[in-house]
Structure formats: structure tokens, C-alpha cells
Amino acid sequence: MRARMHMVGRARDLLTLADPAIPAVLAEGGFEATVTPDRQILALETEPARPGTAALVGSRAGSQLRGAIAEALPEDLRGGTPLYLLLDDVAGASLVAPWAWSQWADDWLHRMHSAAESGAIEQHRRKMMGVCVGFSPESPVYQPGGRTLPDMNRTVVPLDGNGDPFAWHALSVQDGPSARRARRIEVSLDGPTIRVETHFQDSAPMPEGGRTAVHEYLVRATIDRASLTLTSLEADPRILPFSYCPAATLNIGRVVGTPVRELRQRVLTEFARTEGCTHLNDVMRSLAEVPLLAQRLEAALGAAEAG
């Protein structure tokens, strides 16, 4: 189980106007990476190709990786490209991915550590304390008899079976130990308001068939079109690993009134460690790219009206 991870990412910006059966692809991006068990990037190829990505090989997919991406791909950062968004997610996705083994091996956490490491689970508990609200010292995880392994996984229906052929990419078949992180951001214009709905899910296939998820959020937001500030934000924590995790949603009103382009950094500062949930933070940070999507939508609507 300490084998290297093969990571594949794909993203696109899709425009739907009057006829939902004829969407237009505005931008696409993708990558393939080889990552060690301790999350060091050994190889990375991107589409479109970027010379700067060579500087990311050898980096570890932790909190420092995002700074390295910003330095290596400044134009992609400024443009909020699909490639930038995918690479920004490598840190979180690689952290969660080993959880998929929990569906295939009862002793998966022990087996993730070398035989020389005694008390691996207790070491894991101590290491995780304070990482997020779910692992805060007050969480039931750290009370007598508390669990370190996720205990609130739920079976989920396939994302690509919802009747909308364009809602998601054609998702690859996964029939062994593997994980999938899926994100969807929908933007619409409503008078002076930009309306946003974003869906996030971490899931894995099960040996008996079907899929189970360990994280799932649905977040809705409104943004003022003139000032591009966040005017409302609500989060529905649909699936999370522990009963204490939904407490992270209680704090999110702090960023209402923030210019959304500042959210990528503001969220990291405002909801660090036990003040927030790592995965909810990433969902909120993704709202920073909504102005670019709204701008493209406005331009397309204007061109359609003029034509």
C-alpha cells in the first residue's frame, strides 16, 4: 500500500446558452503525475504543456506546493486557468486518496506505515491533532474511545448518471483501489447578482460494486456584479468523516463582504487549522475564479443578443 500514486486530472470551462444540448468548451486543462507515498512529485506532464512545471518536480504536495505553483505558473494563476485549478488541488487530493484503501483492507492504516513503525495509529492520531476542526482537541475523535478512522462514509450514486450528459466529464471506470475528487462550479447571472453553486465530492469504488464518499459539500453563494464582493454564502455538509466536522460551516459568514478575487488567500488565513475544514476551505477558495467565468458568460450573452 506504500506504492506510488498515479494522479490524472481533467478540467474544462463549459458555456451553456439558449440550447443546453449545444454547449461550448471555452478552456480545458489536464495533467498526469507520479507521486510517492509521502506525496513528493516524481513526474509531471500537463496539457497544455508549460515549461514552468519542471520546477514542481521534486516538490512535496503539501501546503508549500501552492506557493511553488504560483511561482512556476504566474500566468495560469492570474488567468484562473483549468490547469492552475487542477494543480492547486493536488495537495488536497493526494492527502485524501489513500483513504480509498479503507474499502479494500481492514488494516489499511497500519499497512500504510512500515513494519518498523510501532503504534502507527496512535502516531497518526497525534500527527493529525489540530489539522482541522474535525481533528481539534475538542472533537470526539480525541475523547476516550474516539475513532481516528472515518465513521460516516456513505454510498453515493454515480455522478455521471444524473440525466445531464454535460454536467461532468466522461468519468473513467474505477474497479480497484482508487479515488476520485470531483468538482463542479455553476455560474449564472441574475440582474445585479452572480449566483454560484459548487459541488465537491471525494469518493472511491467498493469491492462489492458502487461507490462510497468520505467528503461531499454543496455550497451556494451570491456575488455583487458591480463590486464583485461576496454577498451571501451557505454550505450544506452532505458527507463528512466525523460527526464534529460540520462545525466548520458555522464560521463561513466571516468572509461575506470580501472581494471574491481575494478568497484564495483570505480563506487560508481566516480558517486555518481548527477554525475550518480543509475541504470546505478549498471549495470556498475556488470562488475566486467566478469573476472570470462571469465575464465570459456576460461576453457570450452580449454577443448572442447582438447577433
Side-chain angles (χ1 to χ4, degrees), residues 144-183:
R147 293 173 56 91
T148 300
L149 304 184
D151 60 0
M152 296 184 70
N153 301 346
R154 284 178 20 205
T155 301
V156 292
V157 299
L159 292 176
D160 51 358
N162 63 0
D164 182 350
F166 302 110
W168 301 94
H169 298 281
L171 302 176
S172 58
V173 175
Q174 294 180 315
D175 55 8
S178 51
R180 174 185 295 146
R181 170 162 290 193
R183 295 187 181 278

PDB file of all heavy atoms in Angstrom, residues 144-183:
ATOM      1  N   PRO A 144     -12.110   9.768  25.065  1.00  0.00           N
ATOM      2  CA  PRO A 144     -11.900   8.337  25.336  1.00  0.00           C
ATOM      3  C   PRO A 144     -12.749   7.467  24.423  1.00  0.00           C
ATOM      4  O   PRO A 144     -13.959   7.675  24.300  1.00  0.00           O
ATOM      5  CB  PRO A 144     -12.327   8.206  26.802  1.00  0.00           C
ATOM      6  CG  PRO A 144     -12.070   9.562  27.393  1.00  0.00           C
ATOM      7  CD  PRO A 144     -12.394  10.532  26.295  1.00  0.00           C
ATOM      8  N   GLY A 145     -12.099   6.524  23.764  1.00  0.00           N
ATOM      9  CA  GLY A 145     -12.802   5.639  22.846  1.00  0.00           C
ATOM     10  C   GLY A 145     -13.064   6.242  21.487  1.00  0.00           C
ATOM     11  O   GLY A 145     -13.727   5.630  20.652  1.00  0.00           O
ATOM     12  N   GLY A 146     -12.559   7.450  21.225  1.00  0.00           N
ATOM     13  CA  GLY A 146     -12.790   8.108  19.945  1.00  0.00           C
ATOM     14  C   GLY A 146     -12.119   7.383  18.795  1.00  0.00           C
ATOM     15  O   GLY A 146     -11.133   6.675  18.969  1.00  0.00           O
ATOM     16  N   ARG A 147     -12.656   7.591  17.588  1.00  0.00           N
ATOM     17  CA  ARG A 147     -12.151   6.932  16.394  1.00  0.00           C
ATOM     18  C   ARG A 147     -11.218   7.857  15.620  1.00  0.00           C
ATOM     19  O   ARG A 147     -11.424   9.060  15.584  1.00  0.00           O
ATOM     20  CB  ARG A 147     -13.313   6.531  15.473  1.00  0.00           C
ATOM     21  CG  ARG A 147     -14.216   5.458  16.038  1.00  0.00           C
ATOM     22  CD  ARG A 147     -15.412   5.261  15.125  1.00  0.00           C
ATOM     23  NE  ARG A 147     -15.019   4.937  13.762  1.00  0.00           N
ATOM     24  CZ  ARG A 147     -14.850   3.701  13.311  1.00  0.00           C
ATOM     25  NH1 ARG A 147     -15.034   2.677  14.115  1.00  0.00           N
ATOM     26  NH2 ARG A 147     -14.509   3.482  12.054  1.00  0.00           N
ATOM     27  N   THR A 148     -10.218   7.273  15.006  1.00  0.00           N
ATOM     28  CA  THR A 148      -9.363   8.009  14.086  1.00  0.00           C
ATOM     29  C   THR A 148      -9.759   7.744  12.644  1.00  0.00           C
ATOM     30  O   THR A 148      -9.523   8.555  11.764  1.00  0.00           O
ATOM     31  CB  THR A 148      -7.884   7.630  14.288  1.00  0.00           C
ATOM     32  OG1 THR A 148      -7.526   7.937  15.624  1.00  0.00           O
ATOM     33  CG2 THR A 148      -6.972   8.408  13.363  1.00  0.00           C
ATOM     34  N   LEU A 149     -10.379   6.599  12.381  1.00  0.00           N
ATOM     35  CA  LEU A 149     -10.780   6.271  11.024  1.00  0.00           C
ATOM     36  C   LEU A 149     -12.152   6.859  10.727  1.00  0.00           C
ATOM     37  O   LEU A 149     -13.004   6.954  11.616  1.00  0.00           O
ATOM     38  CB  LEU A 149     -10.825   4.755  10.847  1.00  0.00           C
ATOM     39  CG  LEU A 149      -9.540   4.000  11.175  1.00  0.00           C
ATOM     40  CD1 LEU A 149      -9.710   2.523  10.854  1.00  0.00           C
ATOM     41  CD2 LEU A 149      -8.358   4.580  10.427  1.00  0.00           C
ATOM     42  N   PRO A 150     -12.398   7.284   9.492  1.00  0.00           N
ATOM     43  CA  PRO A 150     -13.701   7.841   9.141  1.00  0.00           C
ATOM     44  C   PRO A 150     -14.831   6.881   9.485  1.00  0.00           C
ATOM     45  O   PRO A 150     -14.748   5.689   9.240  1.00  0.00           O
ATOM     46  CB  PRO A 150     -13.596   8.049   7.625  1.00  0.00           C
ATOM     47  CG  PRO A 150     -12.128   8.200   7.375  1.00  0.00           C
ATOM     48  CD  PRO A 150     -11.465   7.293   8.358  1.00  0.00           C
ATOM     49  N   ASP A 151     -15.905   7.415  10.100  1.00  0.00           N
ATOM     50  CA  ASP A 151     -17.008   6.557  10.510  1.00  0.00           C
ATOM     51  C   ASP A 151     -18.342   7.005   9.922  1.00  0.00           C
ATOM     52  O   ASP A 151     -19.389   6.496  10.318  1.00  0.00           O
ATOM     53  CB  ASP A 151     -17.112   6.503  12.037  1.00  0.00           C
ATOM     54  CG  ASP A 151     -17.352   7.869  12.673  1.00  0.00           C
ATOM     55  OD1 ASP A 151     -17.438   8.864  11.938  1.00  0.00           O
ATOM     56  OD2 ASP A 151     -17.450   7.933  13.912  1.00  0.00           O
ATOM     57  N   MET A 152     -18.321   7.964   8.992  1.00  0.00           N
ATOM     58  CA  MET A 152     -19.573   8.449   8.442  1.00  0.00           C
ATOM     59  C   MET A 152     -19.579   8.404   6.913  1.00  0.00           C
ATOM     60  O   MET A 152     -20.234   9.199   6.260  1.00  0.00           O
ATOM     61  CB  MET A 152     -19.859   9.872   8.947  1.00  0.00           C
ATOM     62  CG  MET A 152     -20.060   9.938  10.458  1.00  0.00           C
ATOM     63  SD  MET A 152     -20.508  11.588  11.042  1.00  0.00           S
ATOM     64  CE  MET A 152     -22.174  11.720  10.382  1.00  0.00           C
ATOM     65  N   ASN A 153     -18.807   7.488   6.316  1.00  0.00           N
ATOM     66  CA  ASN A 153     -18.852   7.304   4.870  1.00  0.00           C
ATOM     67  C   ASN A 153     -20.262   6.911   4.456  1.00  0.00           C
ATOM     68  O   ASN A 153     -20.994   6.260   5.207  1.00  0.00           O
ATOM     69  CB  ASN A 153     -17.887   6.198   4.430  1.00  0.00           C
ATOM     70  CG  ASN A 153     -16.463   6.492   4.813  1.00  0.00           C
ATOM     71  OD1 ASN A 153     -16.115   7.603   5.181  1.00  0.00           O
ATOM     72  ND2 ASN A 153     -15.626   5.481   4.738  1.00  0.00           N
ATOM     73  N   ARG A 154     -20.646   7.284   3.231  1.00  0.00           N
ATOM     74  CA  ARG A 154     -21.966   6.925   2.732  1.00  0.00           C
ATOM     75  C   ARG A 154     -21.882   6.527   1.271  1.00  0.00           C
ATOM     76  O   ARG A 154     -21.091   7.090   0.507  1.00  0.00           O
ATOM     77  CB  ARG A 154     -22.945   8.095   2.893  1.00  0.00           C
ATOM     78  CG  ARG A 154     -23.394   8.254   4.326  1.00  0.00           C
ATOM     79  CD  ARG A 154     -24.323   9.391   4.592  1.00  0.00           C
ATOM     80  NE  ARG A 154     -25.043   9.927   3.472  1.00  0.00           N
ATOM     81  CZ  ARG A 154     -25.493  11.178   3.442  1.00  0.00           C
ATOM     82  NH1 ARG A 154     -25.250  11.989   4.450  1.00  0.00           N
ATOM     83  NH2 ARG A 154     -26.178  11.622   2.409  1.00  0.00           N
ATOM     84  N   THR A 155     -22.729   5.573   0.892  1.00  0.00           N
ATOM     85  CA  THR A 155     -22.825   5.179  -0.502  1.00  0.00           C
ATOM     86  C   THR A 155     -23.418   6.329  -1.310  1.00  0.00           C
ATOM     87  O   THR A 155     -24.345   7.005  -0.857  1.00  0.00           O
ATOM     88  CB  THR A 155     -23.710   3.931  -0.639  1.00  0.00           C
ATOM     89  OG1 THR A 155     -23.140   2.876   0.144  1.00  0.00           O
ATOM     90  CG2 THR A 155     -23.802   3.481  -2.089  1.00  0.00           C
ATOM     91  N   VAL A 156     -22.876   6.549  -2.504  1.00  0.00           N
ATOM     92  CA  VAL A 156     -23.346   7.640  -3.367  1.00  0.00           C
ATOM     93  C   VAL A 156     -23.663   7.099  -4.751  1.00  0.00           C
ATOM     94  O   VAL A 156     -23.122   6.077  -5.182  1.00  0.00           O
ATOM     95  CB  VAL A 156     -22.294   8.771  -3.472  1.00  0.00           C
ATOM     96  CG1 VAL A 156     -22.144   9.487  -2.136  1.00  0.00           C
ATOM     97  CG2 VAL A 156     -20.938   8.233  -3.931  1.00  0.00           C
ATOM     98  N   VAL A 157     -24.551   7.782  -5.449  1.00  0.00           N
ATOM     99  CA  VAL A 157     -24.901   7.390  -6.811  1.00  0.00           C
ATOM    100  C   VAL A 157     -23.833   7.931  -7.759  1.00  0.00           C
ATOM    101  O   VAL A 157     -23.159   8.924  -7.459  1.00  0.00           O
ATOM    102  CB  VAL A 157     -26.288   7.926  -7.216  1.00  0.00           C
ATOM    103  CG1 VAL A 157     -27.361   7.363  -6.303  1.00  0.00           C
ATOM    104  CG2 VAL A 157     -26.301   9.462  -7.155  1.00  0.00           C
ATOM    105  N   PRO A 158     -23.649   7.314  -8.921  1.00  0.00           N
ATOM    106  CA  PRO A 158     -22.651   7.805  -9.880  1.00  0.00           C
ATOM    107  C   PRO A 158     -22.959   9.239 -10.310  1.00  0.00           C
ATOM    108  O   PRO A 158     -24.108   9.576 -10.595  1.00  0.00           O
ATOM    109  CB  PRO A 158     -22.786   6.831 -11.057  1.00  0.00           C
ATOM    110  CG  PRO A 158     -23.387   5.597 -10.471  1.00  0.00           C
ATOM    111  CD  PRO A 158     -24.295   6.072  -9.386  1.00  0.00           C
ATOM    112  N   LEU A 159     -21.955  10.073 -10.345  1.00  0.00           N
ATOM    113  CA  LEU A 159     -22.152  11.470 -10.729  1.00  0.00           C
ATOM    114  C   LEU A 159     -22.599  11.603 -12.174  1.00  0.00           C
ATOM    115  O   LEU A 159     -23.349  12.529 -12.526  1.00  0.00           O
ATOM    116  CB  LEU A 159     -20.861  12.258 -10.520  1.00  0.00           C
ATOM    117  CG  LEU A 159     -20.420  12.455  -9.073  1.00  0.00           C
ATOM    118  CD1 LEU A 159     -19.071  13.163  -9.032  1.00  0.00           C
ATOM    119  CD2 LEU A 159     -21.446  13.252  -8.288  1.00  0.00           C
ATOM    120  N   ASP A 160     -22.140  10.697 -13.033  1.00  0.00           N
ATOM    121  CA  ASP A 160     -22.449  10.833 -14.450  1.00  0.00           C
ATOM    122  C   ASP A 160     -23.745  10.121 -14.843  1.00  0.00           C
ATOM    123  O   ASP A 160     -23.994   9.878 -16.007  1.00  0.00           O
ATOM    124  CB  ASP A 160     -21.298  10.327 -15.316  1.00  0.00           C
ATOM    125  CG  ASP A 160     -20.830   8.937 -14.914  1.00  0.00           C
ATOM    126  OD1 ASP A 160     -21.369   8.388 -13.934  1.00  0.00           O
ATOM    127  OD2 ASP A 160     -19.935   8.402 -15.573  1.00  0.00           O
ATOM    128  N   GLY A 161     -24.596   9.821 -13.863  1.00  0.00           N
ATOM    129  CA  GLY A 161     -25.874   9.205 -14.175  1.00  0.00           C
ATOM    130  C   GLY A 161     -27.041  10.075 -13.778  1.00  0.00           C
ATOM    131  O   GLY A 161     -28.118   9.582 -13.418  1.00  0.00           O
ATOM    132  N   ASN A 162     -26.855  11.394 -13.857  1.00  0.00           N
ATOM    133  CA  ASN A 162     -27.878  12.323 -13.365  1.00  0.00           C
ATOM    134  C   ASN A 162     -28.782  12.870 -14.469  1.00  0.00           C
ATOM    135  O   ASN A 162     -29.567  13.787 -14.224  1.00  0.00           O
ATOM    136  CB  ASN A 162     -27.219  13.493 -12.615  1.00  0.00           C
ATOM    137  CG  ASN A 162     -26.317  14.325 -13.507  1.00  0.00           C
ATOM    138  OD1 ASN A 162     -26.182  14.040 -14.700  1.00  0.00           O
ATOM    139  ND2 ASN A 162     -25.693  15.337 -12.942  1.00  0.00           N
ATOM    140  N   GLY A 163     -28.668  12.360 -15.670  1.00  0.00           N
ATOM    141  CA  GLY A 163     -29.530  12.814 -16.753  1.00  0.00           C
ATOM    142  C   GLY A 163     -29.002  13.993 -17.532  1.00  0.00           C
ATOM    143  O   GLY A 163     -29.559  14.358 -18.571  1.00  0.00           O
ATOM    144  N   ASP A 164     -27.923  14.629 -17.066  1.00  0.00           N
ATOM    145  CA  ASP A 164     -27.310  15.754 -17.777  1.00  0.00           C
ATOM    146  C   ASP A 164     -25.988  15.271 -18.362  1.00  0.00           C
ATOM    147  O   ASP A 164     -25.007  15.100 -17.634  1.00  0.00           O
ATOM    148  CB  ASP A 164     -27.077  16.923 -16.823  1.00  0.00           C
ATOM    149  CG  ASP A 164     -26.486  18.146 -17.515  1.00  0.00           C
ATOM    150  OD1 ASP A 164     -26.074  18.031 -18.689  1.00  0.00           O
ATOM    151  OD2 ASP A 164     -26.433  19.216 -16.886  1.00  0.00           O
ATOM    152  N   PRO A 165     -25.911  15.047 -19.667  1.00  0.00           N
ATOM    153  CA  PRO A 165     -24.695  14.474 -20.250  1.00  0.00           C
ATOM    154  C   PRO A 165     -23.498  15.418 -20.206  1.00  0.00           C
ATOM    155  O   PRO A 165     -22.374  14.990 -20.463  1.00  0.00           O
ATOM    156  CB  PRO A 165     -25.105  14.174 -21.692  1.00  0.00           C
ATOM    157  CG  PRO A 165     -26.220  15.133 -21.987  1.00  0.00           C
ATOM    158  CD  PRO A 165     -26.961  15.289 -20.688  1.00  0.00           C
ATOM    159  N   PHE A 166     -23.730  16.699 -19.894  1.00  0.00           N
ATOM    160  CA  PHE A 166     -22.631  17.664 -19.893  1.00  0.00           C
ATOM    161  C   PHE A 166     -22.248  18.134 -18.489  1.00  0.00           C
ATOM    162  O   PHE A 166     -21.367  18.976 -18.346  1.00  0.00           O
ATOM    163  CB  PHE A 166     -22.996  18.872 -20.749  1.00  0.00           C
ATOM    164  CG  PHE A 166     -23.331  18.516 -22.171  1.00  0.00           C
ATOM    165  CD1 PHE A 166     -24.629  18.605 -22.642  1.00  0.00           C
ATOM    166  CD2 PHE A 166     -22.354  18.055 -23.031  1.00  0.00           C
ATOM    167  CE1 PHE A 166     -24.944  18.269 -23.942  1.00  0.00           C
ATOM    168  CE2 PHE A 166     -22.654  17.699 -24.337  1.00  0.00           C
ATOM    169  CZ  PHE A 166     -23.955  17.809 -24.799  1.00  0.00           C
ATOM    170  N   ALA A 167     -22.915  17.613 -17.466  1.00  0.00           N
ATOM    171  CA  ALA A 167     -22.612  18.069 -16.110  1.00  0.00           C
ATOM    172  C   ALA A 167     -21.200  17.699 -15.693  1.00  0.00           C
ATOM    173  O   ALA A 167     -20.543  18.434 -14.966  1.00  0.00           O
ATOM    174  CB  ALA A 167     -23.623  17.481 -15.129  1.00  0.00           C
ATOM    175  N   TRP A 168     -20.725  16.531 -16.153  1.00  0.00           N
ATOM    176  CA  TRP A 168     -19.392  16.055 -15.797  1.00  0.00           C
ATOM    177  C   TRP A 168     -18.697  15.525 -17.044  1.00  0.00           C
ATOM    178  O   TRP A 168     -19.337  15.198 -18.027  1.00  0.00           O
ATOM    179  CB  TRP A 168     -19.482  14.929 -14.758  1.00  0.00           C
ATOM    180  CG  TRP A 168     -20.173  15.329 -13.496  1.00  0.00           C
ATOM    181  CD1 TRP A 168     -21.497  15.158 -13.201  1.00  0.00           C
ATOM    182  CD2 TRP A 168     -19.596  15.971 -12.362  1.00  0.00           C
ATOM    183  NE1 TRP A 168     -21.772  15.655 -11.960  1.00  0.00           N
ATOM    184  CE2 TRP A 168     -20.624  16.162 -11.423  1.00  0.00           C
ATOM    185  CE3 TRP A 168     -18.300  16.405 -12.056  1.00  0.00           C
ATOM    186  CZ2 TRP A 168     -20.407  16.764 -10.187  1.00  0.00           C
ATOM    187  CZ3 TRP A 168     -18.084  17.006 -10.815  1.00  0.00           C
ATOM    188  CH2 TRP A 168     -19.119  17.181  -9.907  1.00  0.00           C
ATOM    189  N   HIS A 169     -17.390  15.403 -16.947  1.00  0.00           N
ATOM    190  CA  HIS A 169     -16.648  14.686 -17.974  1.00  0.00           C
ATOM    191  C   HIS A 169     -17.134  13.243 -18.047  1.00  0.00           C
ATOM    192  O   HIS A 169     -17.783  12.739 -17.127  1.00  0.00           O
ATOM    193  CB  HIS A 169     -15.148  14.640 -17.630  1.00  0.00           C
ATOM    194  CG  HIS A 169     -14.507  15.986 -17.565  1.00  0.00           C
ATOM    195  ND1 HIS A 169     -14.129  16.674 -18.687  1.00  0.00           N
ATOM    196  CD2 HIS A 169     -14.146  16.755 -16.524  1.00  0.00           C
ATOM    197  CE1 HIS A 169     -13.569  17.814 -18.327  1.00  0.00           C
ATOM    198  NE2 HIS A 169     -13.571  17.890 -17.025  1.00  0.00           N
ATOM    199  N   ALA A 170     -16.787  12.558 -19.125  1.00  0.00           N
ATOM    200  CA  ALA A 170     -16.964  11.108 -19.163  1.00  0.00           C
ATOM    201  C   ALA A 170     -15.976  10.515 -18.169  1.00  0.00           C
ATOM    202  O   ALA A 170     -14.765  10.527 -18.398  1.00  0.00           O
ATOM    203  CB  ALA A 170     -16.712  10.577 -20.569  1.00  0.00           C
ATOM    204  N   LEU A 171     -16.476  10.057 -17.034  1.00  0.00           N
ATOM    205  CA  LEU A 171     -15.611   9.638 -15.939  1.00  0.00           C
ATOM    206  C   LEU A 171     -15.063   8.239 -16.200  1.00  0.00           C
ATOM    207  O   LEU A 171     -15.780   7.343 -16.630  1.00  0.00           O
ATOM    208  CB  LEU A 171     -16.396   9.665 -14.623  1.00  0.00           C
ATOM    209  CG  LEU A 171     -16.985  11.041 -14.269  1.00  0.00           C
ATOM    210  CD1 LEU A 171     -17.824  10.946 -13.001  1.00  0.00           C
ATOM    211  CD2 LEU A 171     -15.877  12.073 -14.102  1.00  0.00           C
ATOM    212  N   SER A 172     -13.787   8.054 -15.923  1.00  0.00           N
ATOM    213  CA  SER A 172     -13.141   6.770 -16.171  1.00  0.00           C
ATOM    214  C   SER A 172     -13.670   5.717 -15.201  1.00  0.00           C
ATOM    215  O   SER A 172     -14.070   6.019 -14.068  1.00  0.00           O
ATOM    216  CB  SER A 172     -11.626   6.906 -16.014  1.00  0.00           C
ATOM    217  OG  SER A 172     -11.305   7.365 -14.710  1.00  0.00           O
ATOM    218  N   VAL A 173     -13.665   4.470 -15.651  1.00  0.00           N
ATOM    219  CA  VAL A 173     -14.103   3.361 -14.816  1.00  0.00           C
ATOM    220  C   VAL A 173     -13.036   3.071 -13.763  1.00  0.00           C
ATOM    221  O   VAL A 173     -11.852   2.990 -14.074  1.00  0.00           O
ATOM    222  CB  VAL A 173     -14.357   2.108 -15.672  1.00  0.00           C
ATOM    223  CG1 VAL A 173     -14.700   0.913 -14.795  1.00  0.00           C
ATOM    224  CG2 VAL A 173     -15.472   2.376 -16.681  1.00  0.00           C
ATOM    225  N   GLN A 174     -13.461   2.930 -12.515  1.00  0.00           N
ATOM    226  CA  GLN A 174     -12.557   2.564 -11.427  1.00  0.00           C
ATOM    227  C   GLN A 174     -13.108   1.304 -10.772  1.00  0.00           C
ATOM    228  O   GLN A 174     -14.203   1.324 -10.207  1.00  0.00           O
ATOM    229  CB  GLN A 174     -12.464   3.692 -10.389  1.00  0.00           C
ATOM    230  CG  GLN A 174     -11.814   4.964 -10.913  1.00  0.00           C
ATOM    231  CD  GLN A 174     -11.748   6.046  -9.858  1.00  0.00           C
ATOM    232  OE1 GLN A 174     -12.712   6.292  -9.138  1.00  0.00           O
ATOM    233  NE2 GLN A 174     -10.605   6.702  -9.747  1.00  0.00           N
ATOM    234  N   ASP A 175     -12.362   0.207 -10.847  1.00  0.00           N
ATOM    235  CA  ASP A 175     -12.852  -1.045 -10.286  1.00  0.00           C
ATOM    236  C   ASP A 175     -11.865  -1.688  -9.324  1.00  0.00           C
ATOM    237  O   ASP A 175     -11.940  -2.865  -9.026  1.00  0.00           O
ATOM    238  CB  ASP A 175     -13.210  -2.032 -11.401  1.00  0.00           C
ATOM    239  CG  ASP A 175     -12.044  -2.268 -12.358  1.00  0.00           C
ATOM    240  OD1 ASP A 175     -10.929  -1.782 -12.073  1.00  0.00           O
ATOM    241  OD2 ASP A 175     -12.258  -2.950 -13.378  1.00  0.00           O
ATOM    242  N   GLY A 176     -10.944  -0.924  -8.807  1.00  0.00           N
ATOM    243  CA  GLY A 176      -9.984  -1.399  -7.820  1.00  0.00           C
ATOM    244  C   GLY A 176      -9.698  -0.285  -6.840  1.00  0.00           C
ATOM    245  O   GLY A 176     -10.365   0.753  -6.846  1.00  0.00           O
ATOM    246  N   PRO A 177      -8.712  -0.445  -5.957  1.00  0.00           N
ATOM    247  CA  PRO A 177      -8.367   0.612  -5.001  1.00  0.00           C
ATOM    248  C   PRO A 177      -7.970   1.897  -5.731  1.00  0.00           C
ATOM    249  O   PRO A 177      -6.930   1.961  -6.380  1.00  0.00           O
ATOM    250  CB  PRO A 177      -7.192   0.020  -4.221  1.00  0.00           C
ATOM    251  CG  PRO A 177      -7.358  -1.463  -4.361  1.00  0.00           C
ATOM    252  CD  PRO A 177      -7.904  -1.670  -5.744  1.00  0.00           C
ATOM    253  N   SER A 178      -8.805   2.883  -5.677  1.00  0.00           N
ATOM    254  CA  SER A 178      -8.588   4.148  -6.383  1.00  0.00           C
ATOM    255  C   SER A 178      -9.508   5.192  -5.780  1.00  0.00           C
ATOM    256  O   SER A 178     -10.458   4.864  -5.055  1.00  0.00           O
ATOM    257  CB  SER A 178      -8.870   3.995  -7.889  1.00  0.00           C
ATOM    258  OG  SER A 178     -10.137   3.403  -8.102  1.00  0.00           O
ATOM    259  N   ALA A 179      -9.238   6.438  -6.061  1.00  0.00           N
ATOM    260  CA  ALA A 179     -10.033   7.531  -5.500  1.00  0.00           C
ATOM    261  C   ALA A 179     -10.349   8.534  -6.592  1.00  0.00           C
ATOM    262  O   ALA A 179      -9.637   8.629  -7.590  1.00  0.00           O
ATOM    263  CB  ALA A 179      -9.282   8.213  -4.359  1.00  0.00           C
ATOM    264  N   ARG A 180     -11.419   9.282  -6.392  1.00  0.00           N
ATOM    265  CA  ARG A 180     -11.795  10.326  -7.337  1.00  0.00           C
ATOM    266  C   ARG A 180     -12.213  11.572  -6.559  1.00  0.00           C
ATOM    267  O   ARG A 180     -13.023  11.503  -5.635  1.00  0.00           O
ATOM    268  CB  ARG A 180     -12.950   9.875  -8.226  1.00  0.00           C
ATOM    269  CG  ARG A 180     -13.479  10.994  -9.148  1.00  0.00           C
ATOM    270  CD  ARG A 180     -14.697  10.524  -9.929  1.00  0.00           C
ATOM    271  NE  ARG A 180     -14.335   9.449 -10.857  1.00  0.00           N
ATOM    272  CZ  ARG A 180     -15.138   8.444 -11.179  1.00  0.00           C
ATOM    273  NH1 ARG A 180     -16.336   8.357 -10.635  1.00  0.00           N
ATOM    274  NH2 ARG A 180     -14.737   7.521 -12.034  1.00  0.00           N
ATOM    275  N   ARG A 181     -11.653  12.710  -6.941  1.00  0.00           N
ATOM    276  CA  ARG A 181     -12.109  14.009  -6.437  1.00  0.00           C
ATOM    277  C   ARG A 181     -12.806  14.725  -7.582  1.00  0.00           C
ATOM    278  O   ARG A 181     -12.233  14.923  -8.643  1.00  0.00           O
ATOM    279  CB  ARG A 181     -10.936  14.838  -5.933  1.00  0.00           C
ATOM    280  CG  ARG A 181     -11.302  16.291  -5.629  1.00  0.00           C
ATOM    281  CD  ARG A 181     -10.285  16.970  -4.754  1.00  0.00           C
ATOM    282  NE  ARG A 181     -10.333  16.433  -3.399  1.00  0.00           N
ATOM    283  CZ  ARG A 181      -9.727  16.994  -2.347  1.00  0.00           C
ATOM    284  NH1 ARG A 181      -9.021  18.101  -2.507  1.00  0.00           N
ATOM    285  NH2 ARG A 181      -9.812  16.448  -1.155  1.00  0.00           N
ATOM    286  N   ALA A 182     -14.061  15.109  -7.365  1.00  0.00           N
ATOM    287  CA  ALA A 182     -14.859  15.760  -8.404  1.00  0.00           C
ATOM    288  C   ALA A 182     -15.321  17.117  -7.912  1.00  0.00           C
ATOM    289  O   ALA A 182     -15.731  17.270  -6.753  1.00  0.00           O
ATOM    290  CB  ALA A 182     -16.074  14.899  -8.760  1.00  0.00           C
ATOM    291  N   ARG A 183     -15.245  18.108  -8.807  1.00  0.00           N
ATOM    292  CA  ARG A 183     -15.715  19.461  -8.503  1.00  0.00           C
ATOM    293  C   ARG A 183     -16.562  19.976  -9.660  1.00  0.00           C
ATOM    294  O   ARG A 183     -16.254  19.722 -10.823  1.00  0.00           O
ATOM    295  CB  ARG A 183     -14.544  20.428  -8.321  1.00  0.00           C
ATOM    296  CG  ARG A 183     -13.652  20.139  -7.143  1.00  0.00           C
ATOM    297  CD  ARG A 183     -12.635  21.264  -6.987  1.00  0.00           C
ATOM    298  NE  ARG A 183     -11.730  21.026  -5.887  1.00  0.00           N
ATOM    299  CZ  ARG A 183     -11.991  21.292  -4.615  1.00  0.00           C
ATOM    300  NH1 ARG A 183     -13.177  21.808  -4.306  1.00  0.00           N
ATOM    301  NH2 ARG A 183     -11.111  21.055  -3.681  1.00  0.00           N
TER     302      ARG A 183
END
